[in-house]
Amino acid sequence: MSAQHDRTAWICGAGASCTEFPSPVERPVRLVLLGAPGAGKGTQGELLCEKFGCCPLSTGDVFRAARSLDPARLSPAMQTALGCMQRGELVSDETVIELVRERVHCMECRCGFMLDGFPRTIRQAEKLDGMLAGRGVALDAVLSFELPREEIVRRLSGRRTCRTCRSTFHGITKPPAAEGVCDRCGGELYQRVDDTPESIRVRLEAYDGSTIPLVRYYEKRGLLVPVRADGSPDQVFTRAMETLSSRMLLKPD
Ligand code: AMP
C-alpha cells in the first residue's frame, strides 16, 4: 500500500473523507487489478500506485480495518459482511456492491484509483460499470497478472508471513536476513495454512472459477491488459508499464 494516500474515505466509508492528498497528478489513472494469489499483484499494485499517484482501493483492506472499528460506526452492509465472515460464509455480491457504493465518491478522486479485490464476479463488474458511468468516470485498463500454475504453487508454498506486520518473504526469492524473523519488525515468520500446496490448489481453482469469466468480460470491452508475471518484480513492472504506455499513450520514463 502506498504510504502517501490517507484512504480514510475508502476505509471508513460513508461520510468519512480524506484529509491529506498526495500532490495532484496530471492525469488521474483508473485501474482494476486481477491476478491469482501468488502472481505478485500486491507488489505490482504498490509500484503502479507509486508511479501514477493513484489511490489503492482494496475491498479486503476495508474488511480487515472494519474488524477493529467501533461497531456503532459500521454501516448495516458492513455489519452484514462481518457477520458472514465470522460465520465463515462468503460475503454476497449484494453486500460487497453496497459497501463499494458507500465509497463510490473515491472513484472521482483527483488522484485516480486502483481497485484491488473488486470486482470478483461478473455481477460486481456490471455494477461497477454502472457506478462509474453514473459519475462520468471510465476505467483506463484492467491489468491481469498471469503466471503458470506450477510457478504459483512454487511461489506460495515457499512464502512466509510475519505474524505481526504481515510482511511476506520467500525461502528462495526473498529470504529474510535471519531465518524465521521479519526484516521489517522482528516479528515471527510462519507459513499460512492456506499456503500449503493442497490449499493452494483449492484456492487457485476457486480463483479461476470466478476470475476467468471476469477476464473475458473485460477482454470483450477492450480493457484487458494481460501481463506476464514471471521474473523479478522490476521486470514484471517494466512489462506492465510498456503495455500500459502503448495503450494509454503515456510517456514512459
Ligand atoms: P483480499 O484481501 O482481496 O484477498 O480479501 C480478503 C477477503 O475479503 C476475501 O477472502 C473475501 O472474504 C473478502 N472480499 C474482499 N473483496 C471481496 C469481493 N469483491 N467479493 C467478495 N468478498 C470479498
Side-chain angles (χ1 to χ4, degrees):
M1 195 220 324
S2 163
Q4 58 178 330
H5 290 278
D6 157 332
R7 295 201 315 163
T8 305
W10 178 253
I11 297 297
C12 300
S17 45
C18 296
T19 48
E20 282 179 45
F21 294 89
S23 9
V25 291
E26 230 171 81
R27 167 186 179 325
V29 170
R30 300 176 178 115
L31 303 172
V32 168
L33 293 198
L34 301 177
K41 178 165 66 85
T43 306
Q44 295 304 316
E46 283 180 21
L47 295 171
L48 287 161
C49 285
E50 231 166 77
K51 171 77 190 172
F52 294 122
C54 54
C55 189
L57 306 181
S58 145
T59 36
D61 284 351
V62 170
F63 289 132
R64 281 183 283 275
R67 294 198 185 109
S68 51
L69 289 179
D70 174 2
R73 285 183 58 199
L74 300 179
S75 70
M78 182 56 84
Q79 290 176 11
T80 304
L82 289 189
C84 288
M85 292 168 93
Q86 271 159 14
R87 293 189 298 274
E89 295 165 10
L90 291 176
V91 183
S92 71
D93 280 347
E94 276 58 38
T95 304
V96 180
I97 290 162
E98 187 51 34
L99 289 172
V100 173
R101 203 186 297 287
E102 288 170 358
R103 293 160 172 77
V104 72
H105 53 289
C106 291
M107 297 186 200
E108 290 172 293
C109 182
R110 60 178 195 232
C111 301
F113 61 81
M114 185 201 72
L115 279 168
D116 177 8
F118 181 89
R120 262 181 160 85
T121 62
I122 298 285
R123 183 156 170 72
Q124 293 180 13
E126 287 169 348
K127 291 291 174 182
L128 173 65
D129 281 352
M131 287 185 236
L132 295 177
R135 291 183 142 63
V137 167
L139 289 176
D140 291 299
V142 175
L143 285 142
S144 172
F145 292 95
E146 299 182 350
L147 198 61
R149 182 162 294 220
E150 321 78 72
E151 175 61 14
I152 292 186
V153 174
R154 194 182 72 81
R155 279 192 187 179
L156 289 183
S157 52
R159 187 162 79 169
R160 297 294 177 271
T161 305
C162 175
R163 283 195 198 280
T164 312
C165 72
R166 294 170 33 101
S167 294
T168 54
F169 298 85
H170 192 281
I172 299 164
T173 56
K174 191 186 166 194
E179 201 183 320
V181 181
C182 175
D183 285 354
R184 197 185 258 181
C185 76
E188 183 199 348
L189 301 181
Y190 76 112
Q191 182 175 37
R192 286 170 30 173
V193 279
D194 55 354
D195 282 346
T196 56
E198 187 43 36
S199 317
I200 292 166
R201 276 179 231 289
V202 171
R203 279 162 73 198
L204 289 179
E205 269 160 35
Y207 175 82
D208 284 351
S210 59
T211 309
I212 291 173
L214 213 47
V215 163
R216 297 213 179 96
Y217 178 91
Y218 284 121
E219 198 172 23
K220 270 195 210 145
R221 282 156 184 76
L223 282 168
L224 191 75
V225 175
V227 181
R228 262 183 39 221
D230 57 299
S232 71
D234 284 349
Q235 287 169 329
V236 179
F237 183 64
T238 303
R239 245 177 249 147
M241 284 306 299
E242 280 167 3
T243 325
L244 266 181
S245 303
S246 56
R247 187 195 154 81
M248 295 162 61
L249 300 175
L250 289 169
K251 277 187 288 161
D253 274 343

